[in-house]
Amino acid sequence: MNVIELKHALSQLRLGGIAAVIETRLHQAQVEPMAPIDLISCLVSDELTRRSDRLLERRRKEAQFRDPQTTLDNFDFTFNKKMNRSLVFDLATAGFITKHEDALFLGPPGTGKSHLAQAIGLSAIQQGYRVLYRETHTLLGEIAEAAIDGTRTQHMDWLSTVPLLIIDDLGMRKLPPSAAEELLEIVMRRYERASTLLTSNRPVEDWGKLLGDTAAVTAMLDRLLHHGHVLKCGPRSWRTKTLLPNNQAAE
């Protein structure tokens, strides 16, 4: 069996990681030289690395982050110095997902809530968890569409089982009258079974008026806060910092 035939056979066996590097590794074994066990070890490692990278990429796409390049590394923690950085990094370890705990990120627009939520979601993916990101209005719109085409039960089951569900930007757009009931159902289904991270530019005291159902909001918050972590972002907007005078921006 020559190299071309070997690569074809490896592809048939779904060992694409080995097939991609087999010529390079064979050349390396001749040049160094390498013991057979070392050559096999390198090839197996190459295959595992390729599979891990492909799984991570697939899960990133499944999450559907709005800003997929957001990470903790490119977040400016110095701008709002009172932010609880320890909590952010604790959440990024994904320990709260293991414990089926929840998180609320609260603060004015532009203070980093969405950035941090997506960065924590990406960190969770890198640690082996499935993540789903949705802006609140998009999440509710998809539920409405599922109800129309008769797949609401399956859709809600799917939303209930993903290990980390990120619901972003509650309060940014006007929501349908059923919003409170839909969000409550999601939170109730996920309570102590999976983790929910929700961001909002409105204080929780305003949610009853925002969603038009104080009883449903009370029940939802009761569950979210029972095992929940609250991160207060702000008060200053990172987006408008370039509009401030130099002395203010440096404060």
Side-chain angles (χ1 to χ4, degrees):
M1 183 180 290
N2 58 35
V3 174
I4 295 176
E5 293 171 334
L6 179 58
K7 291 175 70 174
H8 180 68
L10 289 168
S11 296
Q12 287 183 314
L13 292 169
R14 297 185 178 179
L15 296 172
I18 296 178
V21 300
I22 186 66
E23 292 185 71
T24 301
R25 290 302 189 188
L26 288 175
H27 182 66
Q28 179 184 4
Q30 293 174 343
V31 172
E32 291 196 359
M34 297 174 68
I37 186 65
D38 292 333
L39 173 60
I40 294 172
S41 295
C42 285
L43 291 170
V44 171
S45 179
D46 292 333
E47 179 65 33
L48 290 174
T49 298
R50 181 184 175 106
R51 291 191 181 195
S52 177
D53 291 344
R54 292 178 67 181
L55 176 61
L56 287 175
E57 182 59 27
R58 185 164 64 249
R59 286 187 171 171
R60 287 192 196 100
K61 290 181 179 178
E62 289 174 347
Q64 297 184 37
F65 295 121
R66 182 177 63 195
D67 306 304
Q69 305 305 317
T70 54
T71 67
L72 293 181
D73 290 337
N74 56 31
F75 183 78
D76 184 2
F77 283 99
T78 65
F79 187 64
N80 283 305
K81 297 181 179 180
K82 293 184 179 180
M83 181 181 291
N84 188 341
R85 304 182 194 183
S86 295
L87 175 57
V88 172
F89 285 99
D90 283 345
L91 293 172
T93 67
F96 81 110
I97 302 176
T98 303
K99 299 174 185 177
H100 302 155
E101 297 173 343
D102 302 312
L104 292 180
F105 290 3
L106 305 173
T111 53
K113 302 181 299 298
S114 296
H115 185 128
L116 290 173
Q118 291 174 92
I120 288 169
L122 178 59
S123 180
I125 287 174
Q126 292 169 338
Q127 294 171 71
Y129 292 98
R130 290 170 46 242
V131 176
L132 180 65
Y133 169 89
R134 288 291 187 273
E135 292 177 298
T136 307
H137 69 279
T138 301
L139 177 73
L140 296 172
E142 290 176 348
I143 294 173
E145 291 176 3
I148 292 172
D149 62 26
T151 60
R152 186 183 185 281
T153 299
Q154 298 92 316
H155 189 75
M156 295 300 285
D157 288 344
W158 174 60
L159 290 176
S160 301
T161 56
V162 63
L164 176 59
L165 173 63
I166 300 174
I167 305 175
D168 198 12
D169 285 340
L170 175 64
M172 287 294 289
R173 298 196 186 188
K174 185 176 180 180
L175 300 175
S178 61
E181 292 182 4
E182 303 286 15
L183 291 172
L184 175 59
E185 180 177 351
I186 292 170
V187 170
M188 288 181 65
R189 280 170 164 248
R190 297 178 58 79
Y191 176 61
E192 295 187 333
R193 296 182 180 88
S195 294
T196 304
L197 194 165
L198 193 152
T199 81
S200 177
N201 67 340
R202 304 280 289 274
V204 293
E205 294 82 6
D206 292 350
W207 286 14
K209 182 177 180 181
L210 173 69
L211 296 173
D213 190 332
T214 301
V217 167
T218 299
M220 179 172 65
L221 285 171
D222 181 61
R223 288 162 176 79
L224 286 173
L225 296 175
H226 184 206
H227 305 296
H229 305 272
V230 179
L231 179 69
K232 294 183 179 179
C233 303
R236 299 163 65 195
S237 170
W238 185 87
R239 296 191 192 100
T240 59
K241 69 176 182 178
T242 56
L243 302 178
L244 297 174
N246 291 336
N247 61 333
Q248 288 183 294
E251 288 179 358

